[in-house]
Amino acid sequence: ETGVTQTPRHLVMGMTNKKSLKCEQHLGHNAMYWYKQSAKKPLELMFVYNFKEQTENNSVPSRFSPECPNSSHLFLHLHTLQPEDSALYLCASSQDLEGSSYEQYFGPGTRLTVT
Amino acid sequence: DQQVKQNSPSLSVQEGRISILNCDYTNSMFDYFLWYKKYPAEGPTFLISISSIKDKNEDGRFTVFLNKSAKHLSLHIVPSQPGDSAVYFCAAPGRRALTFGSGTRLQVQP
């Protein structure tokens, strides 16, 4: 496996379900991100982790709970979601947060539908 | 407040012609800009970047122009190919992550 992988690629869940999204990067990067992409909107940053520590929570509702057990893995735990949370959830990684390492590498995303 | 703006949601051009995608920004502190390309069902992939010390960066068929006084950048693709059909995002480094525009969907007609 190379690059950034995400599972599952598609997920349909009810509002009372609990599910988790998984992201794994094989690039040796230190920073990982969760983004949300809704239709016709810019990519919205949700969370940033650097060396497993959360450095940014962009006012995300508590029904989204991130977990970063190590620099290679990132999870997004979902519970009691709303239909408006249906979107494409993208994971990304970068070498670090500073200097010239601006380039982020993205996974293919998880298409989430909340019914 | 959207600091990076792409005001054209879509663009259609003929194969072989030039595609010009535009991006405006409001934060004069931005010193680096990136363009990403996104196909359906895939994550964005890095395409080309430019530092604010330059006004032009070229990579094959792709050229990015930066006009700092106008806070405007543009991506030129010439000649355009059907495989270039995708959504293009411009981005700039924010406090902790990239700030993205809303994207422009490019359709290259054969």
Side-chain angles (χ1 to χ4, degrees):
Chain A
E1 288 279 13
T2 58
V4 181
T5 58
Q6 289 186 244
T7 55
R9 294 294 307 276
H10 300 272
L11 177 63
V12 179
M13 60 186 288
M15 288 190 284
T16 59
N17 290 159
K18 288 184 181 181
K19 295 286 185 183
S20 295
L21 310 184
K22 179 182 176 183
C23 175
E24 184 173 359
Q25 58 97 0
H26 310 268
L27 301 167
H29 288 168
N30 299 312
M32 296 187 76
Y33 312 77
W34 280 116
Y35 286 88
K36 174 184 178 183
Q37 187 184 20
S38 304
K40 299 181 181 178
K41 284 189 176 181
L43 283 160
E44 299 173 55
L45 178 68
M46 300 176 73
F47 301 103
V48 181
Y49 277 81
N50 192 34
F51 291 97
K52 303 187 299 178
E53 298 298 321
Q54 186 179 131
T55 60
E56 186 84 13
N57 177 339
N58 200 23
S59 303
V60 180
S62 59
R63 56 187 185 270
F64 295 92
S65 174
E67 178 190 0
C68 188
N70 55 61
S71 293
S72 299
H73 293 85
L74 185 64
F75 295 89
L76 188 63
H77 303 299
L78 316 171
H79 63 96
T80 60
L81 294 192
Q82 304 298 311
E84 58 265 29
D85 296 322
S86 298
L88 180 69
Y89 288 85
L90 289 160
C91 173
S93 71
S94 66
Q95 185 60 52
D96 56 46
L97 296 182
E98 306 292 342
S100 61
S101 303
Y102 294 129
E103 187 179 338
Q104 294 181 357
Y105 294 78
F106 285 83
T110 296
R111 173 67 63 186
L112 173 67
T113 303
V114 181
T115 60
Chain B
D1 177 36
Q2 200 172 336
Q3 297 187 67
V4 179
K5 300 179 184 178
Q6 293 176 259
N7 294 317
S8 298
S10 63
L11 174 68
S12 182
V13 300
Q14 289 294 121
E15 182 178 4
R17 306 294 291 267
I18 185 171
S19 297
I20 300 176
L21 299 101
N22 294 304
C23 180
D24 297 296
Y25 60 96
T26 58
N27 189 342
S28 58
M29 299 298 291
F30 286 151
D31 61 358
Y32 195 78
F33 301 90
L34 306 92
W35 283 93
Y36 279 78
K37 177 179 180 179
K38 184 181 183 302
Y39 291 116
E42 294 183 15
T45 55
F46 171 74
L47 186 60
I48 192 170
S49 62
I50 188 167
S51 166
S52 62
I53 62 174
K54 294 185 176 182
D55 55 18
K56 176 183 173 181
N57 188 27
E58 190 172 354
D59 184 1
R61 295 185 298 113
F62 302 90
T63 303
V64 57
F65 294 92
L66 176 61
N67 183 334
K68 290 185 287 293
S69 61
K71 295 193 181 69
H72 177 84
L73 61 155
S74 60
L75 174 67
H76 293 214
I77 306 173
V78 56
S80 301
Q81 299 174 354
D84 296 329
S85 297
V87 178
Y88 291 79
F89 295 93
C90 64
R95 192 166 59 89
R96 279 285 181 248
L98 293 175
T99 298
F100 287 87
S102 54
T104 296
R105 182 176 301 279
L106 173 66
Q107 183 70 40
V108 180
Q109 307 287 349

